[in-house]
Amino acid sequence: MAVLSLEHVDQIFGQGSARVQVLHDVSFAAEAGTLSLIVGPSGSGKSTFLTIAGGLLTPTKGAVVVAGNSYQARSPKAREQLRLGSIGFVLQAYHLLPYLTVEDQFALVDRIKKSGNLSHTELTDLLDQLGIANLLKKYPAELSGGQKQRVAIARALYPDPAILLADEPTAALDGPRVQVVGKLLADLAHTRQKAVVVVTHDARLIPFADAVFEMTDGRLSRVQQ
Ligand SMILES: Nc1ncnc2c1ncn2[C@@H]1O[C@H](COP(=O)(O)OP(=O)(O)OP(=O)(O)O)[C@@H](O)[C@H]1O
Ligand SMILES: [Mg+2]
């Protein structure tokens, strides 16, 4: 069964002459244990899609269902709970807090979500898997782009969400580093049974995906591999 689905989603921004339809009748489903990749050029609607999938934006039309629950049917507070418990985000800018060490980025999650986070041992295993266990005392400014990105991935996974959404996780990475991140995202899906959904313009990630979709002018289609 799909952990995350979008059903006939339209997104329209603006009104009158400024009205622009960014998503057209988008339907999508992601299963646990799979890496889904959505590729498309700049401006095609990828970030809008991910923002709606993550419940940060309510679509103009259509439904988003997470673990059997529709966002629309819930109050803003219940929606927040669903998002906090089920979804990890890796945003393009990483969103690490500059004045907190890596270890305190996780402690902050504990304050926001008090239970159901990874145990100390599970977190240590995850940091080892990501190759960042030695960075706990460092501040974001002391990390390379690739290290920041892996910390952001760890932080998104720390609350143990069923779904991981990532926006352009390989932006500004060189070839070998793209391979590492592609393998990592696929491994996270396969070994931790997450539904991992990545939007990107980076075709180099395609070989790692279990399912590939193409976004063209706000229309989503499945690419047969
Ligand atoms: N809040 C908004 N108000 C009006 N238009 C918007 C808004 N957000 C996005 N758009 C428009 O929607 C279209 C799709 O934007 P989106 O950010 O989803 O594209 P993208 O595929 O993620 O692009 P990129 O690869 O550059 O990140 C663009 O034309 C953008 O200008
Ligand atoms: Mg984008």
Side-chain angles (χ1 to χ4, degrees), residues 9-14 19-26 43-49 52 57 60 215-220:
V9 164
D10 285 350
Q11 179 61 32
I12 295 167
F13 290 116
R19 181 184 188 279
V20 46
Q21 182 158 1
V22 173
L23 296 180
H24 298 263
D25 194 22
V26 167
S44 57
K46 304 183 300 296
S47 292
T48 305
F49 166 88
I52 289 173
L57 177 68
T60 311
M215 185 72 87
T216 312
D217 293 335
R219 291 184 169 83
L220 191 71

Side-chain angles (χ1 to χ4, degrees), residues 19 53 58 62 98 111 120 127 142 160 196:
R19 181 184 188 279
T58 301
R111 292 182 55 178
H120 185 74
L127 297 176
E142 300 174 283
D160 201 21
V196 180

Side-chain angles (χ1 to χ4, degrees), residues 159-190:
D160 201 21
I163 300 160
L164 182 70
L165 305 178
D167 197 344
E168 301 281 3
T170 54
L173 293 186
D174 59 15
R177 186 59 79 192
V178 170
Q179 304 298 310
V180 171
V181 172
K183 181 163 187 325
L184 172 70
L185 291 167
D187 281 352
L188 290 173
H190 300 154

Side-chain angles (χ1 to χ4, degrees), residues 118-131:
L118 296 186
S119 69
H120 185 74
T121 319
E122 288 168 325
L123 178 59
T124 307
D125 286 349
L126 176 64
L127 297 176
D128 279 337
Q129 187 183 359
L130 294 171

